[in-house]
Amino acid sequence: MTSYLLFSSPACVPCQRMKPLIAQESITADVTVTDVVAPDDLFEVLAVTSVPTLMAMKDGREAGRLVGLLSQADLVEFFEETA
């Protein structure tokens, strides 16, 4: 099963715009949102260098990654490809 991580920041405007897109009706994936104020060990381990970053994880390994604000269509395609 694929799990998803969204790294964002409360001060990041693109991050705040992406959250509702992920929540819209066409996306049924379970996404864990991590709002960070400062980078932590998880950022380093997963090599997250900017926000928003959306990662797909399968069997403990990265199965896909998107960085930056994306359209609803791009997000749906990402979820379909990584499911």
Side-chain angles (χ1 to χ4, degrees), residues 28-78:
T28 58
D30 186 27
V31 179
T32 300
V33 178
T34 303
D35 280 325
V36 294
V37 176
D40 60 14
D41 291 342
L42 189 57
F43 264 56
E44 188 174 323
V45 169
L46 296 175
V48 174
T49 58
S50 63
V51 292
T53 295
L54 179 62
M55 295 180 68
M57 304 294 286
K58 282 186 183 179
D59 301 320
R61 295 181 178 224
E62 183 177 335
R65 179 186 296 230
L66 296 175
V67 179
L69 180 63
L70 300 157
S71 70
Q72 181 73 26
D74 290 336
L75 289 170
V76 169
E77 182 178 340
F78 177 73

